[in-house]
Amino acid sequence: MCGIVAAAAGINIVPVLVEGLKKLEYRGYDSAGLAVINGASIERVRSVGRVAELETASANTSAVTGIAHTRWATHGVPCERNAHPHVSGSIAVVHNGIIENYESLRTELTAQGYVFTSDTDTESIAHLIEATLKSEPDLFKAVQIACQRLVGAYAIAVIDYQQPGKVVVSREGSPLLLGVSETGNYAASDASALLQVTRNMVYLENGDIAELTAASVKITRLDGTPIERPVHVSQLSAAAVELGNYQHYMQKEIFEQPEALANTLEIVGGSKSIQPGIFGAEAVHLLEDIDSILILACGTSSHSGYTARYWLEAIAGVPCNVEIASEYRYRTSVPNARQLIVAISQSGETADTLAALRHAKSLGQGKTLAICNVPESAIVRECALRFITRAGPEIGVASTKAFTTQLAALFVLTLVMAKIKHRLTASQESVYLEQLRHLPVAVNKVLELEDEIKVWAQRFADKHHALFLGRGRHYPIALEGALKLKEISYIHAEAYPAGELKHGPLALVDKDMPVISIAPNDQLLDKLKSNLKEVQARGGELYVFADADSEIPESEGVHILRLPEHYGELSPILHVIPLQLLSYHAALVKGTDVDKPRNLAKSVTVE
């Protein structure tokens, strides 16, 4: 959600800024802009639409110091006057996040004579810093003073043409990192934006402020206390964020799932037994005292949590609850110091999940575990234990490989908890570990069904609604399938436990309402068959994802796609793959923007 790139270097940084914005397009945006210091002025270029338009508009621009931004509208409609950077006097500012006290700042600054030309909260930051410069002429100190008045979440980058060669950045709640290079020093919302110039990254903490020049980096806290932050060598490669031979990032990431699962499960690959230390050095001591688990997550990550609840209670015998992070922090809950708090997030910067985690900790629940794809992220840093999913960069807004690797991580947690609670025999452990090792191969076999799924997708192109059904641990997979379809094809889709069909959804079923059912060959199959008969009797068109040995015959109005093998407890991981492919190919038929669906952002870093 929004993206920042900034540079102070000894080279022309305009191509660096533009290329960095391209790498941040996946975060979601509706406008883009850049500002550079050009002699005794700020040269600013802004455009509504794609970064490619900004690239064309700035083709003749050259500078050694500048800032750039992709905006996802929160305050004010998408238009050029609301696009960043915002200018006040000699300075320009870009900002991610939301300033909660911007209205009072706007009133105060208007009274001082400042004229607002946009509807954004960010413009109040620009005018506030410019006003502060009148009494404190040093840009670094002026930004430091101004930030102390901001309430809310932000990551900002500021330049001043009266102090050329310098960029000042600060963060509170929104991600921001620095890139250290021989060509200069850089800042960005995400490491992928800076891989073009360096792999040496410095991750800023909340309350940090930094000054970048071509030759130096200075970091302090907002109170002026100097601070040293370590340099990390990013494990990302530039190739990892390239599209390659695929048509879309979503397609690429669907087909990367076998490798992503293999990398995630490498830690158990050669082991004959599962060990708590997978989650950190303190895991044995911390997990032995756990009497229940609370999972906090949003969107797709919450669906992985709902699936894990079935595993944790059935296999480990540990009570588990799942809360939508944005709801949990605003209700009165009953804290339990012996409860494990599991925060799940692809980016590790999801604002609601991070706030929910902090809320749980404020209630005295200090036993925390992060399941995340980004090792240096805020959620990982703030949890006592961690499991890094190693899915690699996920660029497509609709999450795919992050979801399946989260499921794999949660199944590992289930086995660890089952072992700690003495509910896992040696033979069971051996079988589960072998299934985990075989998982990448099993997923590859499911991906071979793509051609059959393409045929189904053609039939969805003219539909306006779809119903997804699942039972037991596959109900959350139905939720995920419905979410994927609505996210990228804009077909309205809902998911229900199949047993709830008669309690309302059956009223919607007719020949124009496709019903997608997940039908693994498990103990609930016979009951699910009865639910499918109910749909068939109302003239509904059924699309059933079954296992090879599921005895569901194909007939008029009943289409069957059989997965190569039944995979027991891990079946949800296999069954979500064809749902991802169905959504992807339905979106292709409809001609939507698969990787950047309208109104959505990849990394939701504001409430």
Side-chain angles (χ1 to χ4, degrees):
M1 185 174 282
C2 300
I4 288 174
V5 187
I11 59 172
N12 178 17
I13 49 84
V14 174
V16 176
L17 297 179
V18 171
E19 184 62 26
L21 291 185
K22 288 180 180 180
K23 293 297 185 287
L24 297 179
E25 285 186 294
Y26 76 93
R27 297 172 70 89
Y29 72 105
D30 43 55
S31 60
L34 61 83
V36 296
I37 297 176
N38 191 346
S41 67
I42 294 287
E43 182 177 351
R44 178 173 59 165
V45 182
R46 298 184 293 178
S47 67
V48 176
R50 294 303 177 204
V51 172
E53 297 171 34
L54 179 70
E55 183 176 27
T56 300
S58 61
N60 296 322
T61 304
S62 176
V64 295
T65 308
I67 54 179
H69 190 263
T70 50
R71 176 179 185 257
W72 190 83
T74 55
H75 296 74
V77 299
C79 62
E80 186 172 325
R81 67 184 179 86
N82 286 332
H84 297 213
H86 289 286
V87 170
S88 180
S90 63
I91 71 161
V93 176
V94 292
H95 162 231
N96 290 351
I98 291 178
I99 302 303
E100 296 173 9
N101 64 331
Y102 84 98
E103 289 179 326
S104 61
L105 290 172
R106 190 181 183 110
T107 300
E108 173 189 327
L109 291 160
T110 299
Q112 294 178 26
Y114 286 95
V115 177
F116 283 77
T117 60
S118 78
D119 305 312
T120 69
D121 54 338
T122 303
E123 192 176 2
S124 62
I125 303 175
H127 292 320
L128 179 63
I129 295 171
E130 205 278 336
T132 308
L133 279 168
K134 293 177 180 177
S135 57
E136 175 47 74
D138 180 75
L139 181 64
F140 183 81
K141 291 180 180 178
V143 174
Q144 190 177 44
I145 293 166
C147 284
Q148 292 175 17
R149 297 200 56 200
L150 301 180
V151 177
Y154 62 81
I156 63 172
V158 189
I159 55 174
D160 181 350
Y161 72 72
Q162 293 183 347
Q163 301 177 55
K166 180 189 299 184
V167 179
V168 177
V169 301
S170 184
R171 73 158 286 186
E172 180 62 52
S174 289
L176 194 66
L177 56 86
L178 310 180
V180 181
S181 165
E182 291 182 358
T183 64
N185 293 298
Y186 306 84
S189 303
D190 186 312
S192 62
L194 300 183
L195 290 175
Q196 55 176 315
V197 287
T198 184
R199 292 178 62 187
N200 297 319
M201 309 295 175
V202 176
Y203 293 87
L204 298 180
E205 301 281 350
N206 285 338
D208 283 355
I209 179 170
E211 179 181 278
L212 313 180
T213 69
S216 65
V217 173
K218 177 178 74 174
I219 306 173
T220 77
R221 304 293 288 161
L222 280 182
D223 64 5
T225 306
I227 192 78
E228 292 285 337
R229 298 292 181 208
V231 176
H232 298 269
V233 179
S234 175
Q235 297 306 302
L236 291 178
S237 66
V241 294
E242 296 296 336
L243 186 57
N245 295 323
Y246 292 94
Q247 190 173 353
H248 298 93
Y249 279 105
M250 184 179 179
Q251 181 188 31
K252 176 176 184 273
E253 287 151 14
I254 289 172
F255 280 86
E256 284 177 340
Q257 286 176 111
E259 180 183 6
L261 285 163
N263 290 339
T264 297
L265 294 168
E266 184 181 27
I267 197 165
V268 299
S271 303
K272 294 183 178 180
S273 64
I274 199 87
Q275 301 297 329
I278 288 171
F279 296 98
E282 301 298 318
V284 174
H285 171 71
L286 191 150
L287 295 178
E288 282 180 343
D289 190 45
I290 294 300
D291 67 2
S292 61
I293 292 175
L294 172 62
I295 295 174
L296 303 173
C298 300
T300 285
S301 295
S302 71
H303 297 158
S304 70
Y306 288 129
T307 307
R309 179 171 61 184
Y310 287 92
W311 290 334
L312 285 160
E313 296 196 347
I315 299 173
V318 179
C320 179
N321 194 20
V322 183
E323 293 257 11
I324 301 298
S326 57
E327 292 292 319
Y328 168 73
R329 61 184 291 217
Y330 292 116
R331 74 174 186 85
T332 302
S333 58
V334 181
N336 174 6
R338 295 185 62 200
Q339 186 173 64
L340 177 66
I341 305 297
V342 181
I344 309 175
S345 168
Q346 188 280 138
S347 68
E349 304 286 351
T350 308
D352 285 318
T353 306
L354 186 55
L357 170 65
R358 289 169 178 166
H359 176 66
K361 291 169 71 174
S362 75
L363 297 176
Q365 301 191 133
K367 300 180 187 299
T368 55
L369 165 65
I371 292 179
C372 181
N373 193 37
V374 182
E376 306 87 357
S377 61
I379 286 175
V380 170
R381 293 197 303 270
E382 295 194 23
C383 283
L385 305 178
R386 65 199 60 187
F387 190 104
I388 306 303
T389 52
R390 296 181 66 191
E394 189 178 66
I395 307 300
V397 166
S399 181
T400 52
K401 61 179 180 174
F403 178 67
T404 49
T405 54
Q406 285 170 359
L407 288 175
L410 287 161
F411 194 77
V412 171
L413 175 64
T414 299
L415 297 185
V416 167
M417 292 306 302
K419 194 166 186 178
I420 287 173
K421 299 297 182 182
H422 306 292
R423 289 177 57 98
L424 189 68
T425 67
S427 60
Q428 288 173 327
E429 183 178 12
S430 178
V431 169
Y432 284 136
L433 285 174
E434 183 54 38
Q435 286 184 332
L436 285 172
R437 295 185 192 107
H438 182 65
L439 197 54
V441 175
V443 169
N444 255 324
K445 291 180 181 177
V446 177
L447 289 169
E448 293 172 3
L449 300 173
E450 184 181 24
D451 287 341
E452 296 176 61
I453 294 170
K454 286 180 183 178
V455 176
W456 283 17
Q458 291 286 339
R459 298 170 182 160
F460 278 73
D462 62 345
K463 304 302 181 185
H464 299 288
H465 308 278
L467 185 64
F468 286 70
L469 301 177
R471 297 200 74 133
R473 58 184 175 262
H474 292 85
Y475 164 54
I477 302 306
L479 286 170
E480 177 62 11
L483 177 61
K484 285 292 156 286
L485 189 66
K486 72 180 78 169
E487 276 183 316
I488 62 169
S489 73
Y490 314 146
I491 296 171
H492 172 250
E494 296 296 333
Y496 279 87
E500 285 291 289
L501 195 60
K502 292 188 291 293
H503 297 277
L506 198 56
L508 297 172
V509 172
D510 60 20
K511 62 182 177 60
D512 295 318
M513 169 77 87
V515 178
I516 300 94
S517 180
I518 303 161
N521 190 11
D522 59 16
Q523 70 273 20
L524 293 174
L525 181 60
D526 288 338
K527 293 188 179 297
L528 181 61
K529 287 179 182 178
S530 299
N531 303 135
L532 301 184
K533 290 289 186 184
E534 294 164 357
V535 172
Q536 198 173 6
R538 273 78 180 176
E541 192 91 355
L542 278 162
Y543 296 85
V544 183
F545 292 97
D547 288 332
D549 53 358
S550 294
E551 296 178 357
I552 302 176
E554 189 151 354
S555 60
E556 181 70 25
V558 181
H559 312 284
I560 309 293
L561 191 148
R562 301 188 189 278
L563 274 64
E565 57 185 307
H566 176 54
Y567 221 62
E569 291 289 350
L570 289 169
S571 173
I573 298 178
L574 297 191
H575 273 274
V576 79
I577 307 296
L579 299 182
Q580 296 169 348
L581 287 169
L582 179 64
S583 299
Y584 172 71
H585 286 289
L588 284 188
V589 174
K590 290 179 69 69
T592 61
D593 192 339
V594 174
D595 287 332
K596 296 181 280 291
R598 66 189 183 200
N599 304 331
L600 299 181
K602 178 64 177 177
S603 184
V604 185
T605 55
V606 298
E607 284 193 72

